[in-house]
Amino acid sequence: MSLICAISNEVPEHPCVSPVSNQVFERRLVEKYIAENGADPVTGQPLSEEQLVDIKVSHPIRPKAPSSTSIPAILKALQDEWDAVMLHSFTLRQQLQTTRQELSHALYQHDAACRVIARLTKEVTAAREALATLKPQAGLVVPQAAPASQPVANMGKSPSLSQLQDKATVLTTERKKRGKTVPEELVRAEDLSKYRQVASHVGLHSASVPGILSLDLCPTDTNKVLTGGADKNVVVFDKREEQIVATLKGHAKKVTSVIYHPSQSVVFSASPDSTIRVWSVSGGNCAQVIRAHEAGVTGLSLHATGDYLLSSSEDQFWAFSDIQTGRVLTKVTDETAGCALTCAQFHPDGLIFGTGTADSQIKIWDLKERTNVANFPGHSGPVTAIAFSENGYYLATGAQDSSLKLWDLRKLKNFKTITLDSGYEVKIATVVILRIILYFNHSGLVTGVAFGEHAQFLTSAGMDRSLKFYSL
């Protein structure tokens, strides 16, 4: 009985046996298999060359291969080889067809990408040209008549527009640098839901006329909290020391807007008593009273230079005032609107700003030309809040129609609307407005929300007279 190799099915010249499968192999073939796979060819179990056992046999006479003994067998072998070649050729054709399809798809994507790039380049060029028409070029805003038939009161010397332009250029450069990196200390969006209340203070304002109506943090020291109350007072509170730094009294009516100066120990407040007050925190006194309006002041925003205030009012005017002298430099109304302004906010660059109206309109204004350059209709109730994104590309607005809208300033259109349940009113245009409703545990209307540095904490104020702090 001759030995047959389990791999080649031929008589081996150097037979050996595997102790794993007890099969006979040609040593040359099985060693190659073990070198590549490290296992027995039959069972697949681990096997090494050292385990192979040689079989001592006399030199056998190798029989001729069955395929070489007859013409039919040879023809059969040739047919099998032809079939294998044809199958391989078919496989290659399939692969070629697939490669052609992938190449066609890649070329289509490349062409589409080129078209998109061309379109975006055209839009960027158009946007830059449009922005150039909004930005002041040089010189002074010469006092001249506001829109036709509208009176201009208290017109004084206007600020140097080169100063405003230079500041805008610096801010734009700084924002681009910041946009490339995210601070490691910044709290992630998914961690906001983990905020828990860590402190609550209810003694800042009078209990007889309860309610905190406005809130702001000192940009350079977010432990300093500024609040305006229904009790007509402005309060500066130290979060770290948990004590009141100053209580500023002087308004004849409730305080609806407050701003903390970013670099000076100065705060600003506005009230329905039609005045804007500039306060010295260290001195505890009122440094200036700006009388820019004849009706209640509804909005307040500090220019990026820190030297000028923008205000809006129920008298349908917006005003641009000098905080050092208290003079009103510019006062303008839109004769086509004929309704009260409800809020106002500077763009981060300070060259344009937005106002909200009682008839649900959002208007964008050019500070140099004092003209309305864009409108955003869409709300169905008085606009209550406006906020520009830090990069200056987007605008968030809230209104009494229980909705929050996000606008693209480059395309001048609304791209997102968040609708709250009926009865909720948006008071603060911020990305966490939904959490204000669902998360903060005030017993009254939430009127103010502000993040600490890098969102390490969050503070909120409400009509329940409480100031609350939240952190991880």
Short mmCIF file of all heavy atoms in Angstrom, two decimals, residues 60-104:
data_model
loop_
_atom_site.label_atom_id
_atom_site.label_comp_id
_atom_site.label_asym_id
_atom_site.label_seq_id
_atom_site.Cartn_x
_atom_site.Cartn_y
_atom_site.Cartn_z
N PRO A 60 10.08 4.59 -3.28
CA PRO A 60 8.96 4.05 -4.06
C PRO A 60 9.08 4.41 -5.53
O PRO A 60 9.76 5.38 -5.89
CB PRO A 60 7.75 4.71 -3.44
CG PRO A 60 8.28 6.03 -3.00
CD PRO A 60 9.71 5.80 -2.56
N ILE A 61 8.44 3.66 -6.29
CA ILE A 61 8.34 3.99 -7.72
C ILE A 61 7.06 4.80 -7.88
O ILE A 61 5.95 4.29 -7.69
CB ILE A 61 8.29 2.72 -8.59
CG1 ILE A 61 9.59 1.93 -8.42
CG2 ILE A 61 8.08 3.09 -10.05
CD1 ILE A 61 9.58 0.61 -9.14
N ARG A 62 7.24 6.06 -8.21
CA ARG A 62 6.08 6.94 -8.29
C ARG A 62 5.26 6.62 -9.52
O ARG A 62 5.78 6.60 -10.63
CB ARG A 62 6.52 8.40 -8.33
CG ARG A 62 7.31 8.81 -7.09
CD ARG A 62 7.62 10.29 -7.12
NE ARG A 62 6.37 11.04 -7.09
CZ ARG A 62 6.32 12.35 -7.22
NH1 ARG A 62 7.42 13.05 -7.43
NH2 ARG A 62 5.16 12.97 -7.18
N PRO A 63 4.00 6.34 -9.35
CA PRO A 63 3.14 6.07 -10.51
C PRO A 63 2.93 7.34 -11.32
O PRO A 63 3.03 8.45 -10.81
CB PRO A 63 1.84 5.60 -9.87
CG PRO A 63 1.81 6.25 -8.54
CD PRO A 63 3.24 6.30 -8.08
N LYS A 64 2.68 7.14 -12.56
CA LYS A 64 2.39 8.30 -13.40
C LYS A 64 1.08 8.95 -12.95
O LYS A 64 0.16 8.27 -12.50
CB LYS A 64 2.26 7.88 -14.86
CG LYS A 64 3.57 7.41 -15.46
CD LYS A 64 3.38 7.08 -16.91
CE LYS A 64 4.69 6.62 -17.54
NZ LYS A 64 4.50 6.28 -18.98
N ALA A 65 1.04 10.24 -13.06
CA ALA A 65 -0.19 10.94 -12.70
C ALA A 65 -1.32 10.49 -13.59
O ALA A 65 -1.13 10.33 -14.80
CB ALA A 65 0.02 12.44 -12.86
N PRO A 66 -2.49 10.28 -13.00
CA PRO A 66 -3.63 9.81 -13.80
C PRO A 66 -3.94 10.72 -14.98
O PRO A 66 -4.40 10.26 -16.03
CB PRO A 66 -4.78 9.79 -12.79
CG PRO A 66 -4.11 9.66 -11.46
CD PRO A 66 -2.82 10.40 -11.58
N SER A 67 -3.65 12.01 -14.82
CA SER A 67 -3.97 12.94 -15.89
C SER A 67 -3.05 12.79 -17.09
O SER A 67 -3.30 13.38 -18.14
CB SER A 67 -3.91 14.37 -15.35
OG SER A 67 -2.61 14.63 -14.85
N SER A 68 -1.98 12.05 -16.95
CA SER A 68 -1.02 11.93 -18.06
C SER A 68 -1.05 10.55 -18.72
O SER A 68 -0.19 10.23 -19.53
CB SER A 68 0.40 12.18 -17.53
OG SER A 68 0.49 13.43 -16.92
N THR A 69 -2.03 9.75 -18.40
CA THR A 69 -2.05 8.36 -18.90
C THR A 69 -2.91 8.16 -20.12
O THR A 69 -2.86 7.09 -20.73
CB THR A 69 -2.53 7.42 -17.77
OG1 THR A 69 -3.81 7.84 -17.34
CG2 THR A 69 -1.55 7.47 -16.59
N SER A 70 -3.76 9.18 -20.44
CA SER A 70 -4.65 8.99 -21.58
C SER A 70 -4.96 10.33 -22.24
O SER A 70 -4.88 11.38 -21.60
CB SER A 70 -5.94 8.30 -21.16
OG SER A 70 -6.66 9.13 -20.29
N ILE A 71 -5.32 10.26 -23.52
CA ILE A 71 -5.68 11.48 -24.24
C ILE A 71 -6.92 12.13 -23.65
O ILE A 71 -6.97 13.36 -23.48
CB ILE A 71 -5.87 11.16 -25.73
CG1 ILE A 71 -4.51 10.78 -26.34
CG2 ILE A 71 -6.49 12.34 -26.47
CD1 ILE A 71 -4.57 10.40 -27.80
N PRO A 72 -7.98 11.36 -23.33
CA PRO A 72 -9.16 12.00 -22.70
C PRO A 72 -8.81 12.74 -21.42
O PRO A 72 -9.34 13.81 -21.14
CB PRO A 72 -10.10 10.82 -22.45
CG PRO A 72 -9.71 9.81 -23.46
CD PRO A 72 -8.23 9.93 -23.62
N ALA A 73 -7.90 12.14 -20.62
CA ALA A 73 -7.53 12.81 -19.36
C ALA A 73 -6.81 14.11 -19.63
O ALA A 73 -7.01 15.12 -18.95
CB ALA A 73 -6.66 11.88 -18.53
N ILE A 74 -5.91 14.06 -20.67
CA ILE A 74 -5.19 15.29 -21.02
C ILE A 74 -6.17 16.36 -21.51
O ILE A 74 -6.08 17.54 -21.16
CB ILE A 74 -4.13 14.99 -22.08
CG1 ILE A 74 -3.05 14.06 -21.49
CG2 ILE A 74 -3.50 16.28 -22.59
CD1 ILE A 74 -2.04 13.59 -22.51
N LEU A 75 -7.14 15.96 -22.35
CA LEU A 75 -8.14 16.90 -22.83
C LEU A 75 -8.96 17.48 -21.69
O LEU A 75 -9.32 18.67 -21.67
CB LEU A 75 -9.06 16.21 -23.85
CG LEU A 75 -8.40 15.81 -25.18
CD1 LEU A 75 -9.40 15.04 -26.05
CD2 LEU A 75 -7.89 17.05 -25.92
N LYS A 76 -9.27 16.59 -20.73
CA LYS A 76 -10.03 17.05 -19.54
C LYS A 76 -9.23 18.10 -18.76
O LYS A 76 -9.76 19.13 -18.31
CB LYS A 76 -10.36 15.86 -18.64
CG LYS A 76 -11.12 16.25 -17.37
CD LYS A 76 -12.50 16.81 -17.72
CE LYS A 76 -13.38 16.88 -16.50
NZ LYS A 76 -12.86 17.80 -15.49
N ALA A 77 -7.92 17.85 -18.61
CA ALA A 77 -7.08 18.81 -17.89
C ALA A 77 -7.03 20.15 -18.63
O ALA A 77 -7.10 21.22 -18.03
CB ALA A 77 -5.67 18.23 -17.73
N LEU A 78 -6.89 20.08 -19.95
CA LEU A 78 -6.87 21.31 -20.74
C LEU A 78 -8.19 22.06 -20.65
O LEU A 78 -8.24 23.30 -20.59
CB LEU A 78 -6.55 20.98 -22.21
CG LEU A 78 -5.13 20.45 -22.49
CD1 LEU A 78 -5.00 20.04 -23.96
CD2 LEU A 78 -4.10 21.50 -22.13
N GLN A 79 -9.31 21.30 -20.64
CA GLN A 79 -10.63 21.94 -20.51
C GLN A 79 -10.77 22.65 -19.16
O GLN A 79 -11.28 23.75 -19.07
CB GLN A 79 -11.73 20.88 -20.66
CG GLN A 79 -13.16 21.44 -20.58
CD GLN A 79 -13.46 22.36 -21.75
OE1 GLN A 79 -13.26 21.98 -22.91
NE2 GLN A 79 -13.92 23.57 -21.47
N ASP A 80 -10.28 21.94 -18.10
CA ASP A 80 -10.35 22.56 -16.77
C ASP A 80 -9.52 23.83 -16.72
O ASP A 80 -9.94 24.84 -16.12
CB ASP A 80 -9.85 21.56 -15.72
CG ASP A 80 -10.79 20.37 -15.56
OD1 ASP A 80 -11.97 20.48 -15.97
OD2 ASP A 80 -10.35 19.35 -15.00
N GLU A 81 -8.35 23.79 -17.32
CA GLU A 81 -7.49 24.98 -17.33
C GLU A 81 -8.16 26.12 -18.11
O GLU A 81 -8.11 27.29 -17.71
CB GLU A 81 -6.14 24.63 -17.96
CG GLU A 81 -5.11 25.75 -17.88
CD GLU A 81 -4.68 26.01 -16.45
OE1 GLU A 81 -4.83 25.12 -15.60
OE2 GLU A 81 -4.20 27.14 -16.18
N TRP A 82 -8.78 25.80 -19.23
CA TRP A 82 -9.52 26.81 -20.02
C TRP A 82 -10.66 27.42 -19.20
O TRP A 82 -10.85 28.63 -19.20
CB TRP A 82 -10.05 26.16 -21.29
CG TRP A 82 -10.99 27.05 -22.06
CD1 TRP A 82 -12.34 27.04 -22.02
CD2 TRP A 82 -10.63 28.09 -22.96
NE1 TRP A 82 -12.87 28.00 -22.84
CE2 TRP A 82 -11.83 28.68 -23.44
CE3 TRP A 82 -9.41 28.58 -23.43
CZ2 TRP A 82 -11.82 29.72 -24.35
CZ3 TRP A 82 -9.43 29.63 -24.33
CH2 TRP A 82 -10.62 30.18 -24.78
N ASP A 83 -11.40 26.55 -18.52
CA ASP A 83 -12.49 27.05 -17.68
C ASP A 83 -11.97 28.00 -16.61
O ASP A 83 -12.58 29.05 -16.32
CB ASP A 83 -13.23 25.88 -17.04
CG ASP A 83 -13.97 25.02 -18.05
OD1 ASP A 83 -14.19 25.49 -19.19
OD2 ASP A 83 -14.34 23.89 -17.70
N ALA A 84 -10.85 27.63 -15.98
CA ALA A 84 -10.29 28.49 -14.92
C ALA A 84 -9.87 29.84 -15.49
O ALA A 84 -10.09 30.89 -14.89
CB ALA A 84 -9.09 27.78 -14.27
N VAL A 85 -9.26 29.81 -16.68
CA VAL A 85 -8.85 31.07 -17.31
C VAL A 85 -10.06 31.94 -17.64
O VAL A 85 -10.05 33.15 -17.44
CB VAL A 85 -8.03 30.77 -18.58
CG1 VAL A 85 -7.79 32.06 -19.38
CG2 VAL A 85 -6.70 30.13 -18.23
N MET A 86 -11.13 31.32 -18.15
CA MET A 86 -12.32 32.08 -18.47
C MET A 86 -12.97 32.69 -17.22
O MET A 86 -13.43 33.84 -17.22
CB MET A 86 -13.34 31.18 -19.18
CG MET A 86 -12.94 30.77 -20.59
SD MET A 86 -12.72 32.20 -21.70
CE MET A 86 -10.92 32.35 -21.69
N LEU A 87 -13.00 31.90 -16.12
CA LEU A 87 -13.56 32.43 -14.87
C LEU A 87 -12.72 33.60 -14.35
O LEU A 87 -13.26 34.62 -13.88
CB LEU A 87 -13.63 31.32 -13.82
CG LEU A 87 -14.68 30.23 -14.05
CD1 LEU A 87 -14.54 29.12 -13.04
CD2 LEU A 87 -16.09 30.83 -13.98
N HIS A 88 -11.42 33.46 -14.43
CA HIS A 88 -10.53 34.55 -13.98
C HIS A 88 -10.73 35.79 -14.84
O HIS A 88 -10.77 36.92 -14.33
CB HIS A 88 -9.09 34.07 -14.04
CG HIS A 88 -8.11 35.10 -13.52
ND1 HIS A 88 -8.11 35.53 -12.22
CD2 HIS A 88 -7.10 35.77 -14.15
CE1 HIS A 88 -7.16 36.43 -12.06
NE2 HIS A 88 -6.53 36.60 -13.22
N SER A 89 -10.89 35.58 -16.15
CA SER A 89 -11.12 36.71 -17.06
C SER A 89 -12.44 37.40 -16.74
O SER A 89 -12.54 38.63 -16.75
CB SER A 89 -11.12 36.21 -18.50
OG SER A 89 -11.43 37.25 -19.39
N PHE A 90 -13.47 36.60 -16.41
CA PHE A 90 -14.77 37.18 -16.07
C PHE A 90 -14.66 38.03 -14.79
O PHE A 90 -15.22 39.13 -14.69
CB PHE A 90 -15.79 36.05 -15.87
CG PHE A 90 -17.13 36.52 -15.39
CD1 PHE A 90 -18.03 37.12 -16.27
CD2 PHE A 90 -17.51 36.40 -14.05
CE1 PHE A 90 -19.26 37.56 -15.84
CE2 PHE A 90 -18.73 36.84 -13.62
CZ PHE A 90 -19.61 37.43 -14.50
N THR A 91 -13.91 37.50 -13.82
CA THR A 91 -13.72 38.25 -12.57
C THR A 91 -12.99 39.57 -12.83
O THR A 91 -13.35 40.62 -12.28
CB THR A 91 -12.92 37.41 -11.56
OG1 THR A 91 -13.61 36.18 -11.32
CG2 THR A 91 -12.75 38.15 -10.24
N LEU A 92 -11.98 39.52 -13.68
CA LEU A 92 -11.26 40.76 -14.01
C LEU A 92 -12.15 41.77 -14.70
O LEU A 92 -12.06 42.98 -14.45
CB LEU A 92 -10.05 40.42 -14.88
CG LEU A 92 -8.90 39.65 -14.21
CD1 LEU A 92 -7.80 39.35 -15.22
CD2 LEU A 92 -8.35 40.44 -13.04
N ARG A 93 -13.03 41.30 -15.58
CA ARG A 93 -13.96 42.22 -16.25
C ARG A 93 -14.91 42.87 -15.25
O ARG A 93 -15.24 44.06 -15.36
CB ARG A 93 -14.75 41.47 -17.34
CG ARG A 93 -13.92 41.12 -18.58
CD ARG A 93 -14.81 40.83 -19.78
NE ARG A 93 -15.74 39.74 -19.51
CZ ARG A 93 -15.49 38.45 -19.72
NH1 ARG A 93 -14.29 38.09 -20.18
NH2 ARG A 93 -16.40 37.54 -19.47
N GLN A 94 -15.38 42.07 -14.29
CA GLN A 94 -16.26 42.63 -13.27
C GLN A 94 -15.54 43.71 -12.46
O GLN A 94 -16.09 44.78 -12.17
CB GLN A 94 -16.76 41.52 -12.33
CG GLN A 94 -17.86 40.65 -12.92
CD GLN A 94 -18.42 39.69 -11.90
OE1 GLN A 94 -17.67 39.11 -11.12
NE2 GLN A 94 -19.72 39.51 -11.92
N GLN A 95 -14.30 43.41 -12.05
CA GLN A 95 -13.53 44.38 -11.29
C GLN A 95 -13.28 45.64 -12.11
O GLN A 95 -13.31 46.76 -11.59
CB GLN A 95 -12.21 43.76 -10.85
CG GLN A 95 -12.37 42.63 -9.83
CD GLN A 95 -11.05 41.96 -9.50
OE1 GLN A 95 -10.03 42.22 -10.15
NE2 GLN A 95 -11.07 41.09 -8.49
N LEU A 96 -13.03 45.48 -13.41
CA LEU A 96 -12.82 46.63 -14.28
C LEU A 96 -14.07 47.50 -14.35
O LEU A 96 -14.00 48.74 -14.29
CB LEU A 96 -12.43 46.15 -15.67
CG LEU A 96 -12.26 47.24 -16.74
CD1 LEU A 96 -11.17 48.23 -16.32
CD2 LEU A 96 -11.96 46.64 -18.10
N GLN A 97 -15.24 46.86 -14.46
CA GLN A 97 -16.50 47.61 -14.52
C GLN A 97 -16.73 48.38 -13.22
O GLN A 97 -17.14 49.54 -13.23
CB GLN A 97 -17.66 46.64 -14.80
CG GLN A 97 -19.02 47.32 -14.89
CD GLN A 97 -19.12 48.29 -16.07
OE1 GLN A 97 -18.36 48.17 -17.03
NE2 GLN A 97 -20.03 49.24 -15.98
N THR A 98 -16.46 47.71 -12.08
CA THR A 98 -16.63 48.38 -10.77
C THR A 98 -15.68 49.57 -10.65
O THR A 98 -16.07 50.65 -10.18
CB THR A 98 -16.35 47.38 -9.65
OG1 THR A 98 -17.24 46.27 -9.76
CG2 THR A 98 -16.53 48.04 -8.28
N THR A 99 -14.44 49.38 -11.09
CA THR A 99 -13.46 50.47 -11.02
C THR A 99 -13.89 51.65 -11.89
O THR A 99 -13.75 52.81 -11.52
CB THR A 99 -12.09 49.97 -11.46
OG1 THR A 99 -11.69 48.87 -10.64
CG2 THR A 99 -11.04 51.08 -11.33
N ARG A 100 -14.44 51.36 -13.08
CA ARG A 100 -14.92 52.43 -13.95
C ARG A 100 -16.05 53.22 -13.30
O ARG A 100 -16.11 54.45 -13.37
CB ARG A 100 -15.40 51.84 -15.27
CG ARG A 100 -14.26 51.44 -16.22
CD ARG A 100 -14.80 50.77 -17.47
NE ARG A 100 -13.73 50.52 -18.45
CZ ARG A 100 -13.90 49.82 -19.55
NH1 ARG A 100 -15.10 49.31 -19.83
NH2 ARG A 100 -12.89 49.63 -20.38
N GLN A 101 -16.98 52.49 -12.63
CA GLN A 101 -18.10 53.16 -11.96
C GLN A 101 -17.58 54.05 -10.82
O GLN A 101 -18.04 55.18 -10.63
CB GLN A 101 -19.08 52.12 -11.42
CG GLN A 101 -19.86 51.39 -12.51
CD GLN A 101 -20.77 50.33 -11.95
OE1 GLN A 101 -20.69 49.97 -10.78
NE2 GLN A 101 -21.65 49.80 -12.79
N GLU A 102 -16.64 53.51 -10.03
CA GLU A 102 -16.08 54.30 -8.93
C GLU A 102 -15.35 55.53 -9.46
O GLU A 102 -15.47 56.63 -8.88
CB GLU A 102 -15.12 53.44 -8.11
CG GLU A 102 -15.81 52.33 -7.32
CD GLU A 102 -14.82 51.43 -6.61
OE1 GLU A 102 -13.61 51.56 -6.87
OE2 GLU A 102 -15.26 50.61 -5.80
N LEU A 103 -14.63 55.38 -10.56
CA LEU A 103 -13.93 56.52 -11.14
C LEU A 103 -14.92 57.55 -11.65
O LEU A 103 -14.74 58.76 -11.46
CB LEU A 103 -13.04 56.03 -12.29
CG LEU A 103 -12.29 57.13 -13.07
CD1 LEU A 103 -11.37 57.91 -12.13
CD2 LEU A 103 -11.49 56.53 -14.21
N SER A 104 -16.01 57.09 -12.28
CA SER A 104 -17.03 58.02 -12.77
C SER A 104 -17.66 58.78 -11.62
O SER A 104 -17.88 60.00 -11.70
CB SER A 104 -18.10 57.24 -13.54
OG SER A 104 -19.16 58.09 -13.95
#
